[in-house]
């Protein structure tokens, strides 16, 4: 089959997620990066093609099955490995995710062969494409950061700390109290004096689903009551904590198999909402 190059494209944004300074998605054919540095960590996955680059004057390749981590303030460049170019997704992370003392380890080993880490980075990117899903993105970032630190510290994979039921209960109470206004994972971790990844793991272990899904479910329950009481979907969306009506509709269809408008119009004629 003849390979037809796709047009070049760049998408970049600053997410409302602590620890991530920028998200960058790009498809390039002939672009070559000159030697440069960043003041952040560069976490890169390639979705199509491959990249040749030099880091601290040593040559490396970034390909589809690996994770590439470039440390801050270390010179690197980059170019397509073939004439068909490459497609990549990048996260720029600050030192709240990875501390500066891990730079040397990253220079030595910028290529990480870790399918689970790559899958988690992909899931994080998907969450970041919807700004209203910042709580989910924070949770996914916590696990990505934890695994990156394990690689850089040369820590062998071992059992995670046992879930803490007390932390799980505390997080559920926080979510229940702030369902509409929401909260960040970092806020919850500070309040409960817990490591973010351990907090998410404890909640999931105790209740069988991650905290961001629990929060979404609580908001859906609240939306159902309001919709059956006759409130317009656009007003309901904002009142229960969704970003807008589109955000509500996406999750509502996923949970209930119907749009909010269809759901609110489904009650038999003459029956009042029970609240």
């Amino acid at each position: 089959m003849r390979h037809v190059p796709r047009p070049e494209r760049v998408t970049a944004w600053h997410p409302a997620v602590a620890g991530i300074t920028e998200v960058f998605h790009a498809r390039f054919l002939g672009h070559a990066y000159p030697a440069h540095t960043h003041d952040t960590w560069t976490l890169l996955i390639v979705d199509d093609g491959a990249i040749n680059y030099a880091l601290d004057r040593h040559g490396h390749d970034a390909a589809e099955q690996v994770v590439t981590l470039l440390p801050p303030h270390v010179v690197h460049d980059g170019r397509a490995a073939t004439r068909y170019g490459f497609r990549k997704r990048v996260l720029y992370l600050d030192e709240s995710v990875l501390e500066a003392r891990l730079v040397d380890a990253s220079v030595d080993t910028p290529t990480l062969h870790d399918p689970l880490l790559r899958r988690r980075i992909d899931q994080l990117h998907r969450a970041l494409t919807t700004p209203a899903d910042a709580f989910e993105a924070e949770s996914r970032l916590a696990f990505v950061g934890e695994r990156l630190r394990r690689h850089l510290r040369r820590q062998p994979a071992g059992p995670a700390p046992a879930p803490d039921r007390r932390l799980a209960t505390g997080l559920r109470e926080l979510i229940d109290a702030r369902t509409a206004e929401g909260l960040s994972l970092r806020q919850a971790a500070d309040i409960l004096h817990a490591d973010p990844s351990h907090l998410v793991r404890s909640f999931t272990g105790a209740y069988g689903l991650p905290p961001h899904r629990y929060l979404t479910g609580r908001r859906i329950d609240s939306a159902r009551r309001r919709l059956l009481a006759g409130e317009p979907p656009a007003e309901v969306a904002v009142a229960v904590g969704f970003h807008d009506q589109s955000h509500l509709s996406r999750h509502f269809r996923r949970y209930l198999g119907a749009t909010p408008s269809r759901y609110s119009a489904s009650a038999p004629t003459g029956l009042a909402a029970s609240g």
Side-chain angles (χ1 to χ4, degrees):
M1 180 182 294
R2 182 171 176 267
H3 194 295
V4 179
R6 295 183 179 181
E8 295 190 340
R9 186 179 65 188
V10 168
T11 306
W13 69 96
H14 175 64
V17 176
I20 303 178
T21 65
E22 183 183 335
V23 184
F24 183 73
H25 294 181
R27 181 189 295 120
F28 289 131
L29 294 174
H31 177 68
Y33 289 97
H36 64 287
T37 66
H38 298 288
D39 59 1
T40 58
W41 293 86
T42 302
L43 182 62
L44 162 71
I45 56 175
V46 174
D47 294 310
D48 188 33
I51 304 170
N52 297 141
Y53 68 95
L55 176 67
D56 197 29
R57 299 186 296 275
H58 295 281
H60 300 276
D61 296 312
E64 294 180 38
Q65 302 303 318
V66 302
V67 173
T68 300
L69 180 65
L70 307 179
H73 309 298
V74 178
V75 175
H76 59 277
D77 59 14
R79 66 205 60 81
T82 74
R83 65 189 181 91
Y84 300 115
F86 60 88
R87 181 164 54 91
K88 67 175 183 175
R89 287 177 288 170
V90 184
L91 299 174
Y92 295 96
L93 309 176
D94 66 27
E95 291 185 5
S96 68
V97 179
L98 295 172
E99 57 267 35
R101 65 185 180 86
L102 297 174
V103 164
D104 288 345
S106 182
V107 171
D108 293 340
T109 312
T111 303
L112 305 175
H113 298 269
D114 186 338
L116 176 57
L117 175 60
R118 195 190 188 289
R119 183 164 66 252
R120 285 179 172 173
I121 294 170
D122 171 70
Q123 293 168 336
L124 174 54
H125 274 282
R126 294 177 188 275
L128 288 166
T129 59
T130 303
D133 289 340
F135 190 47
E136 176 183 353
E138 270 196 291
S139 299
R140 297 196 180 282
L141 176 62
F143 286 111
V144 167
E146 178 184 63
R147 201 160 183 90
L148 288 171
R149 290 189 295 273
R150 181 178 294 171
H151 276 289
L152 296 177
R153 294 169 181 168
R154 306 292 195 272
Q155 294 175 336
D164 187 325
R165 183 76 189 201
R166 178 187 60 83
L167 289 178
T169 301
L171 180 54
R172 187 186 65 179
E173 291 173 350
L174 284 174
I175 293 174
D176 289 344
R178 307 184 188 188
T179 298
E181 62 268 38
L183 77 164
S184 71
L185 180 61
R186 182 167 293 186
Q187 288 173 329
D190 288 344
I191 291 170
L192 297 172
H193 307 290
D195 174 79
S197 59
H198 184 48
L199 184 57
V200 174
R201 189 177 286 114
S202 294
F203 189 98
T204 304
Y207 300 113
L209 77 171
H212 69 268
R213 289 186 184 171
Y214 176 78
L215 173 60
T216 298
R218 289 300 313 278
R219 287 172 170 172
I220 291 292
D221 284 343
S222 182
R224 292 170 69 173
R225 290 190 289 270
R226 288 174 174 268
L227 289 166
L228 291 179
E231 295 184 37
E235 295 180 8
V236 169
V238 176
V240 303
F242 288 105
H243 184 66
D244 53 24
Q245 185 174 345
S246 175
H247 189 217
L248 166 64
S249 295
R250 178 166 65 86
H251 285 293
F252 208 90
R253 284 195 301 268
R254 181 182 178 190
Y255 276 72
L256 298 172
T259 65
S261 297
R262 182 181 174 188
Y263 183 85
S264 61
S266 66
T269 302
L271 291 183
S274 58

PDB file of all heavy atoms in Angstrom, residues 131-147:
ATOM      1  N   PRO A 131     -11.298  19.900  28.979  1.00  0.00           N
ATOM      2  CA  PRO A 131     -10.883  20.688  30.151  1.00  0.00           C
ATOM      3  C   PRO A 131     -11.709  20.416  31.401  1.00  0.00           C
ATOM      4  O   PRO A 131     -11.186  20.484  32.514  1.00  0.00           O
ATOM      5  CB  PRO A 131     -11.065  22.135  29.667  1.00  0.00           C
ATOM      6  CG  PRO A 131     -10.928  22.055  28.183  1.00  0.00           C
ATOM      7  CD  PRO A 131     -11.535  20.738  27.790  1.00  0.00           C
ATOM      8  N   ALA A 132     -12.979  20.064  31.217  1.00  0.00           N
ATOM      9  CA  ALA A 132     -13.835  19.833  32.376  1.00  0.00           C
ATOM     10  C   ALA A 132     -13.511  18.541  33.101  1.00  0.00           C
ATOM     11  O   ALA A 132     -14.019  18.302  34.195  1.00  0.00           O
ATOM     12  CB  ALA A 132     -15.307  19.827  31.937  1.00  0.00           C
ATOM     13  N   ASP A 133     -12.685  17.694  32.518  1.00  0.00           N
ATOM     14  CA  ASP A 133     -12.305  16.438  33.161  1.00  0.00           C
ATOM     15  C   ASP A 133     -10.957  16.555  33.872  1.00  0.00           C
ATOM     16  O   ASP A 133     -10.180  15.601  33.935  1.00  0.00           O
ATOM     17  CB  ASP A 133     -12.249  15.319  32.119  1.00  0.00           C
ATOM     18  CG  ASP A 133     -13.635  14.927  31.619  1.00  0.00           C
ATOM     19  OD1 ASP A 133     -14.618  15.224  32.323  1.00  0.00           O
ATOM     20  OD2 ASP A 133     -13.731  14.340  30.528  1.00  0.00           O
ATOM     21  N   ALA A 134     -10.688  17.712  34.443  1.00  0.00           N
ATOM     22  CA  ALA A 134      -9.393  17.958  35.077  1.00  0.00           C
ATOM     23  C   ALA A 134      -9.152  17.034  36.269  1.00  0.00           C
ATOM     24  O   ALA A 134      -8.008  16.633  36.530  1.00  0.00           O
ATOM     25  CB  ALA A 134      -9.292  19.409  35.523  1.00  0.00           C
ATOM     26  N   PHE A 135     -10.201  16.674  37.002  1.00  0.00           N
ATOM     27  CA  PHE A 135     -10.027  15.796  38.160  1.00  0.00           C
ATOM     28  C   PHE A 135      -9.549  14.420  37.708  1.00  0.00           C
ATOM     29  O   PHE A 135      -8.659  13.825  38.331  1.00  0.00           O
ATOM     30  CB  PHE A 135     -11.347  15.693  38.933  1.00  0.00           C
ATOM     31  CG  PHE A 135     -11.235  15.021  40.274  1.00  0.00           C
ATOM     32  CD1 PHE A 135     -10.232  15.366  41.152  1.00  0.00           C
ATOM     33  CD2 PHE A 135     -12.156  14.060  40.654  1.00  0.00           C
ATOM     34  CE1 PHE A 135     -10.136  14.757  42.404  1.00  0.00           C
ATOM     35  CE2 PHE A 135     -12.067  13.440  41.897  1.00  0.00           C
ATOM     36  CZ  PHE A 135     -11.058  13.781  42.772  1.00  0.00           C
ATOM     37  N   GLU A 136     -10.100  13.919  36.607  1.00  0.00           N
ATOM     38  CA  GLU A 136      -9.625  12.657  36.054  1.00  0.00           C
ATOM     39  C   GLU A 136      -8.170  12.787  35.600  1.00  0.00           C
ATOM     40  O   GLU A 136      -7.347  11.893  35.855  1.00  0.00           O
ATOM     41  CB  GLU A 136     -10.488  12.220  34.868  1.00  0.00           C
ATOM     42  CG  GLU A 136      -9.967  10.962  34.192  1.00  0.00           C
ATOM     43  CD  GLU A 136     -10.763  10.553  32.968  1.00  0.00           C
ATOM     44  OE1 GLU A 136     -11.812  11.165  32.700  1.00  0.00           O
ATOM     45  OE2 GLU A 136     -10.318   9.611  32.279  1.00  0.00           O
ATOM     46  N   ALA A 137      -7.848  13.886  34.924  1.00  0.00           N
ATOM     47  CA  ALA A 137      -6.483  14.080  34.444  1.00  0.00           C
ATOM     48  C   ALA A 137      -5.494  14.132  35.606  1.00  0.00           C
ATOM     49  O   ALA A 137      -4.396  13.566  35.533  1.00  0.00           O
ATOM     50  CB  ALA A 137      -6.393  15.354  33.608  1.00  0.00           C
ATOM     51  N   GLU A 138      -5.877  14.799  36.678  1.00  0.00           N
ATOM     52  CA  GLU A 138      -5.008  14.845  37.858  1.00  0.00           C
ATOM     53  C   GLU A 138      -4.733  13.450  38.413  1.00  0.00           C
ATOM     54  O   GLU A 138      -3.606  13.119  38.785  1.00  0.00           O
ATOM     55  CB  GLU A 138      -5.666  15.684  38.955  1.00  0.00           C
ATOM     56  CG  GLU A 138      -5.344  17.140  38.942  1.00  0.00           C
ATOM     57  CD  GLU A 138      -5.735  17.765  40.266  1.00  0.00           C
ATOM     58  OE1 GLU A 138      -6.943  17.855  40.544  1.00  0.00           O
ATOM     59  OE2 GLU A 138      -4.826  18.146  41.027  1.00  0.00           O
ATOM     60  N   SER A 139      -5.785  12.639  38.474  1.00  0.00           N
ATOM     61  CA  SER A 139      -5.635  11.284  38.994  1.00  0.00           C
ATOM     62  C   SER A 139      -4.695  10.472  38.108  1.00  0.00           C
ATOM     63  O   SER A 139      -3.827   9.734  38.600  1.00  0.00           O
ATOM     64  CB  SER A 139      -7.005  10.603  39.076  1.00  0.00           C
ATOM     65  OG  SER A 139      -7.869  11.295  39.956  1.00  0.00           O
ATOM     66  N   ARG A 140      -4.857  10.612  36.801  1.00  0.00           N
ATOM     67  CA  ARG A 140      -3.999   9.866  35.878  1.00  0.00           C
ATOM     68  C   ARG A 140      -2.558  10.388  35.931  1.00  0.00           C
ATOM     69  O   ARG A 140      -1.605   9.602  35.834  1.00  0.00           O
ATOM     70  CB  ARG A 140      -4.577   9.928  34.475  1.00  0.00           C
ATOM     71  CG  ARG A 140      -5.953   9.252  34.370  1.00  0.00           C
ATOM     72  CD  ARG A 140      -6.364   8.972  32.951  1.00  0.00           C
ATOM     73  NE  ARG A 140      -7.666   8.345  32.868  1.00  0.00           N
ATOM     74  CZ  ARG A 140      -7.921   7.058  33.113  1.00  0.00           C
ATOM     75  NH1 ARG A 140      -6.937   6.248  33.468  1.00  0.00           N
ATOM     76  NH2 ARG A 140      -9.150   6.574  33.005  1.00  0.00           N
ATOM     77  N   LEU A 141      -2.396  11.682  36.087  1.00  0.00           N
ATOM     78  CA  LEU A 141      -1.046  12.244  36.205  1.00  0.00           C
ATOM     79  C   LEU A 141      -0.339  11.710  37.449  1.00  0.00           C
ATOM     80  O   LEU A 141       0.877  11.475  37.427  1.00  0.00           O
ATOM     81  CB  LEU A 141      -1.117  13.767  36.245  1.00  0.00           C
ATOM     82  CG  LEU A 141       0.222  14.496  36.469  1.00  0.00           C
ATOM     83  CD1 LEU A 141       1.198  14.206  35.326  1.00  0.00           C
ATOM     84  CD2 LEU A 141      -0.012  16.000  36.616  1.00  0.00           C
ATOM     85  N   ALA A 142      -1.078  11.518  38.532  1.00  0.00           N
ATOM     86  CA  ALA A 142      -0.466  11.015  39.763  1.00  0.00           C
ATOM     87  C   ALA A 142       0.186   9.659  39.527  1.00  0.00           C
ATOM     88  O   ALA A 142       1.309   9.399  39.990  1.00  0.00           O
ATOM     89  CB  ALA A 142      -1.521  10.914  40.866  1.00  0.00           C
ATOM     90  N   PHE A 143      -0.469   8.785  38.769  1.00  0.00           N
ATOM     91  CA  PHE A 143       0.088   7.459  38.505  1.00  0.00           C
ATOM     92  C   PHE A 143       1.227   7.513  37.491  1.00  0.00           C
ATOM     93  O   PHE A 143       2.194   6.745  37.585  1.00  0.00           O
ATOM     94  CB  PHE A 143      -1.007   6.512  38.034  1.00  0.00           C
ATOM     95  CG  PHE A 143      -1.931   6.072  39.141  1.00  0.00           C
ATOM     96  CD1 PHE A 143      -3.243   6.500  39.172  1.00  0.00           C
ATOM     97  CD2 PHE A 143      -1.474   5.244  40.156  1.00  0.00           C
ATOM     98  CE1 PHE A 143      -4.088   6.112  40.202  1.00  0.00           C
ATOM     99  CE2 PHE A 143      -2.304   4.847  41.185  1.00  0.00           C
ATOM    100  CZ  PHE A 143      -3.631   5.283  41.216  1.00  0.00           C
ATOM    101  N   VAL A 144       1.124   8.422  36.519  1.00  0.00           N
ATOM    102  CA  VAL A 144       2.224   8.595  35.560  1.00  0.00           C
ATOM    103  C   VAL A 144       3.467   9.082  36.288  1.00  0.00           C
ATOM    104  O   VAL A 144       4.576   8.561  36.099  1.00  0.00           O
ATOM    105  CB  VAL A 144       1.822   9.582  34.444  1.00  0.00           C
ATOM    106  CG1 VAL A 144       3.045  10.021  33.631  1.00  0.00           C
ATOM    107  CG2 VAL A 144       0.779   8.945  33.524  1.00  0.00           C
ATOM    108  N   GLY A 145       3.315  10.092  37.130  1.00  0.00           N
ATOM    109  CA  GLY A 145       4.453  10.613  37.878  1.00  0.00           C
ATOM    110  C   GLY A 145       5.070   9.570  38.788  1.00  0.00           C
ATOM    111  O   GLY A 145       6.299   9.463  38.895  1.00  0.00           O
ATOM    112  N   GLU A 146       4.240   8.797  39.448  1.00  0.00           N
ATOM    113  CA  GLU A 146       4.732   7.752  40.340  1.00  0.00           C
ATOM    114  C   GLU A 146       5.587   6.744  39.579  1.00  0.00           C
ATOM    115  O   GLU A 146       6.669   6.353  40.032  1.00  0.00           O
ATOM    116  CB  GLU A 146       3.541   7.048  40.988  1.00  0.00           C
ATOM    117  CG  GLU A 146       3.903   5.899  41.919  1.00  0.00           C
ATOM    118  CD  GLU A 146       2.658   5.190  42.448  1.00  0.00           C
ATOM    119  OE1 GLU A 146       1.907   4.612  41.623  1.00  0.00           O
ATOM    120  OE2 GLU A 146       2.436   5.216  43.677  1.00  0.00           O
ATOM    121  N   ARG A 147       5.117   6.347  38.392  1.00  0.00           N
ATOM    122  CA  ARG A 147       5.859   5.336  37.622  1.00  0.00           C
ATOM    123  C   ARG A 147       7.147   5.922  37.035  1.00  0.00           C
ATOM    124  O   ARG A 147       8.168   5.244  36.966  1.00  0.00           O
ATOM    125  CB  ARG A 147       4.965   4.777  36.524  1.00  0.00           C
ATOM    126  CG  ARG A 147       5.436   3.421  36.016  1.00  0.00           C
ATOM    127  CD  ARG A 147       4.342   2.655  35.317  1.00  0.00           C
ATOM    128  NE  ARG A 147       4.799   1.336  34.898  1.00  0.00           N
ATOM    129  CZ  ARG A 147       4.711   0.240  35.644  1.00  0.00           C
ATOM    130  NH1 ARG A 147       4.192   0.317  36.863  1.00  0.00           N
ATOM    131  NH2 ARG A 147       5.143  -0.935  35.187  1.00  0.00           N
TER     132      ARG A 147
END
